[in-house]
Amino acid sequence: VLDLGRMSATSQLYGIAQTVDDTLDKIQYDLEHPDEGVKTGIPELDQRLMALRPGGLYVLAARPGAGKTSFALTLVEHIAGHPEHRNGVLFFSLEVDRLDLVKKLLSATARLDFRSIEKGLLDAGQQDQLTAACEAMKTWDLSLMDVSDLTVSALRAIVKRKQLESKGGLKLIVIDYLQLLNGSRPDMNEYEKVSEISRVLKVLAREMRIPIMALSQMSRDSEKGTGGTPREPRLSDLRGSG
């Protein structure tokens, strides 16, 4: 039994001397093979985040109706639809139907009003713009999944299967949004559920070496300020995070 325990990777202990050597090897490798991460297409954001790093869990949070999904789709457009170096994106939509998502993408890509697309109020020139945007979007490296009842363990299995199918081409996972994922047990309260989901997502990102972006709701406390001026958001404003 002790011999079996020594073979377990989770029980492996590392000395500081070996770890320092491994760290130097990793630094040297990074110097020779620089990995700039996944660029969002927004220079100011890439500079602050040093791009979306492999293994990172990023939370995009705002109050309802602030434009979280639209902003995430803008990043998807820059990453999956880049004309020179396209990266694979897997988008989980737990709130919006995939057809409505594509309408939003087409609205932004074709520079057309979303309401005009939704109501079919497009003239001949706008229809040509829409058709051109559709043809361009067909070449994107983007996979969509719209599901209203998804557990975090099922999401983990889907991501692993997709990464195998894409032969390592998957570079970003987007989840819209975190609080709509289900935990492992139906009787979990919101704090327990969010804690489990965020932990699983972080482990998944690290294991797969893929950045994960999870959209999140914020609590009403985030709207409080002084003199009508909203205050800076805090980590405690994330809904259900405790």
Side-chain angles (χ1 to χ4, degrees):
V1 171
L2 288 173
D3 288 341
L4 288 172
R6 292 190 191 98
M7 293 168 61
S8 172
T10 57
S11 63
Q12 181 70 43
L13 296 175
Y14 299 94
I16 185 62
Q18 180 62 47
T19 303
V20 168
D21 288 341
D22 292 342
T23 303
L24 285 174
D25 290 343
K26 180 68 168 65
I27 292 172
Q28 185 62 39
Y29 179 85
D30 290 341
L31 288 172
E32 297 172 0
H33 308 85
D35 182 3
E36 298 181 348
V38 179
K39 296 292 185 67
T40 66
I42 302 175
E44 295 88 348
L45 187 60
D46 286 331
Q47 184 176 6
R48 282 180 174 271
L49 298 179
M50 296 189 296
L52 302 178
R53 312 298 297 175
L57 173 61
Y58 300 87
V59 180
L60 171 60
R63 288 291 290 154
K68 294 187 296 295
T69 301
S70 296
F71 182 72
L73 290 175
T74 300
L75 302 186
V76 168
E77 177 186 355
H78 291 158
I79 294 168
H82 196 283
E84 297 174 6
H85 43 81
R86 289 176 183 162
N87 291 304
V89 178
L90 177 55
F91 195 107
F92 290 91
S93 178
L94 285 79
E95 186 178 35
V96 181
D97 178 85
R98 62 190 171 90
L99 301 183
D100 289 331
L101 274 178
V102 171
K103 286 179 186 176
K104 286 188 176 185
L105 277 170
L106 287 171
S107 171
T109 306
R111 305 294 184 263
L112 296 172
D113 181 53
F114 178 78
R115 287 170 294 184
S116 298
I117 295 176
E118 185 73 10
K119 295 181 179 180
L121 303 175
L122 300 174
D123 58 31
Q126 291 173 326
Q127 290 180 34
D128 290 340
Q129 286 178 250
L130 186 65
T131 301
C134 286
E135 292 303 315
M137 194 177 295
K138 287 178 182 179
T139 65
W140 292 10
D141 193 354
L142 173 62
S143 299
L144 301 170
M145 183 173 188
D146 56 346
V147 58
S148 58
D149 186 18
L150 183 67
T151 64
V152 68
S153 56
L155 179 142
R156 186 172 180 268
I158 292 167
V159 169
K160 288 198 167 190
R161 187 176 72 232
K162 179 61 180 176
Q163 180 70 324
L164 286 173
E165 292 173 352
S166 65
K167 297 179 181 178
L170 185 60
K171 299 299 181 183
L172 176 66
I173 299 156
V174 183
I175 301 162
D176 185 15
Y177 59 93
L178 186 146
Q179 282 85 1
L180 289 179
L181 273 171
N182 292 324
S184 58
R185 302 192 327 269
D187 60 338
M188 300 174 83
N189 61 40
E190 188 172 31
Y191 169 71
E192 291 174 330
K193 186 182 77 168
V194 170
S195 297
E196 180 191 46
I197 291 169
S198 56
R199 182 174 64 251
V200 171
L201 292 180
K202 177 58 183 174
V203 171
L204 178 63
R206 179 183 172 188
E207 181 184 351
M208 304 293 290
R209 301 299 300 159
I210 299 173
I212 295 178
M213 178 179 292
L215 279 59
S216 173
Q217 295 278 23
M218 295 183 76
S219 65
R220 292 185 184 276
D221 289 343
S222 62
E223 297 176 342
K224 295 178 181 177
T226 55
T229 304
R231 61 169 172 77
E232 287 290 317
R234 306 166 183 161
L235 284 175
S236 58
D237 291 331
L238 295 174
R239 207 187 84 195
S241 63

